Amino acid sequence: MGVCDMGNREEMITKIEAMAGRMRRNVLDMALAAGASSSHFGGGLSIVEITATLFGEVMNYDPGNPEWSERDRFILSKGHGCVGYYTALVEAGFVTKEDLLTFEKTGSDLIGHPVMNRAKAIEFSNGSLGMGLSLGIGVALAAKRRQSEHKVYVVMGDGECNEGSVWEAAMAAPNFKLDNLVAILDRNKFQQTGSNAEIMSVGDLADKWRSFGWEVVEVDGHNVGELYDAFVNEGVTQQPLAIVAHTIKGKGFSFSENNNDWHHHVLSKTQYDAALEELNNSLAG
Amino acid sequence: MKINAASMKMWSRIGSRATFGLAALEIAKTHDNLMVMTADTSTSAGLDRYRKTFPEKFLDVGIAEQNMMGIAAGFASEGLDVFTTTFSPFQTMRCCEQIKVNLGYMGHKVCMVGLASGIVLGTLGYSHCSIEDVSVMRSIPGITVISPADSGETVKATLAALEHSESVYIRLTGGMSNPIVHKDDYDFQIGKAIELREGHDVTLIAAGTMVYESLEAAKLLEEENISASVVNMHTIKPIDVEAIERACRNTKCIVTVEEHNIVGGLGSAVAEYKATIPGAPPQMILGLPDKFGKSGEYRDLLEQYQLTAPQIAKRVLSRLKELT
């Protein structure tokens, strides 16, 4: 949506931060509504500022015409992070709050991993890790072929980078000179059963992606200004862009931050109340 | 593209793989939306001329089949008509979950061409043979499975797959000098088997290379006063249930013949439906045994597994004697 001037930039950052606050509140409502079926709480909260910045400012789309051919495409390759996606779709006008409260219920459009639904701006079904970037390459190549200017944003996890298929795609995108493709690597440093360092370390992700031929930017993944600058960075090469976003798993609530018990966890009403109070205090502060 | 006796003969000489390349070349001339992909196997897929003639409709992803199927689905989601090509084991099993999720679950349509399936690459070992592909592909919802009987049918299947509503797996069997089953143009419809020969004693239901062998076997059976019907079941999924019902009505034994593991392939597909027909005749499932044996020359392996026409005839004859 274009580069902000300095005055507007402060306003934009305030706007996106407020949006992220509302999204976290909706994440709490979803997690509570999910009840015993539980939700991927931690990995959804780590991407909230990423999806807020994309859907709140960076991406072009039309809620009145979800299949507009020139829309920017968003792919949540780490599909389990969907609470951080569906809540952005509410803000973008594709999904209602009522839809959110059907999360993981029988027959719902909003299941624990995204299920393709173009009317609701869910481009693909995700959940099996390591597949989203390849889909993004296909979409980005198709855009080049028809000389469309839209971009493709793929959000991936650091744990997801254990998958070999990620590296097949990582190798291909620079070879195809896909400067319309952006991979956002949610570096929250945890995966399902432990820290990334102890389960299967991906090491220096920025180095790895750079060595594969990507233009790489590292940011604080909860700093809207840094994220925004990375997204609007036009770059000087024809290479695809990888943004290594350093994040905190479970970001926003003291009980869940960097606590991997909250990878997939039931949220009790007591925890919900405490979390809501903490969120309200932080927004008021 | 011209389909007649002369083209059928030429395609038979060059084999199914090269024939696919020629078909793609023809389709690309009139089809703006075409995208043909490969994983460093363009020569094997007969695409040398194609890639030079239509570079904008061609993509080589390198030796990375999982990535190929993801990119293919991305293309399909943007409205392109996509073919993917590589050797059968890598086209089906290396990227099986990408096929399940991207093509089956999401329904993005991609036509997959599995080269040199069966045991034609026997001298390269079972890593390059493909005796499980039909079974694997058949169990994924939303995937049509076709096994052409000869090179001409490869052309027919390629054209039909392009127009088909869901993803298709085209299983190419046999090598060069592929025997001709259909000598001239004919009507090919996905899901509709073709009775090549009528008979009232036994029905041989075959796919791929085994259609020709079954036709030859039927001639040998005739010498023994056995009247054998031969059905080209080119589409293994969805299976032509009417053809199975006809076979059950008209003959007293069903024999399925395939260059595939006897587990999960054509024989299983026929048996699954036949089991629902009260009083249906017994079935012989002829194919490759459920084991990885010693590798070797194609014809030697077919002999070893008793899948040549005289062996098929002999096995059928012996079974029919048991039944009477």
Side-chain angles (χ1 to χ4, degrees), chain A residues 71 73 115-116 118 123-125 128 130-131 134-135 137-139 141-142 145-146 150 165 168-169 172 176, chain B residues 32-35 56-57 59-60 64-67 70-71 73-75 77-78 80 97-98 102 105-106 108:
Chain A
R71 71 192 183 281
R73 271 64 160 176
V115 178
M116 190 172 80
R118 291 279 169 87
E123 300 281 349
F124 294 102
S125 302
S128 177
M131 295 199 193
S134 297
L135 292 166
I137 291 173
V139 175
L141 280 166
R145 184 169 142 140
R146 64 168 190 270
H150 79 75
S165 54
E168 290 187 6
F176 298 144
Chain B
D32 288 341
N33 267 349
L34 186 69
M35 176 58 79
E56 75 287 359
K57 295 178 183 175
L59 189 73
D60 192 335
E65 295 78 13
Q66 297 177 73
N67 194 32
I71 295 174
F75 278 143
S77 80
E78 294 292 322
L80 295 178
E97 204 202 346
Q98 276 79 4
N102 297 336
Y105 184 35
M106 284 191 256
H108 296 301

Side-chain angles (χ1 to χ4, degrees), chain A residues 7 39 60 91 106 108 120-121 132-133 182 184 206 213 239 241 263:
Chain A
S39 65
N60 289 306
E91 296 289 331
T106 304
S108 172
K120 295 193 188 301
L133 190 58
V182 181
I184 303 101
Q239 297 311 86
L241 172 64
H263 172 81

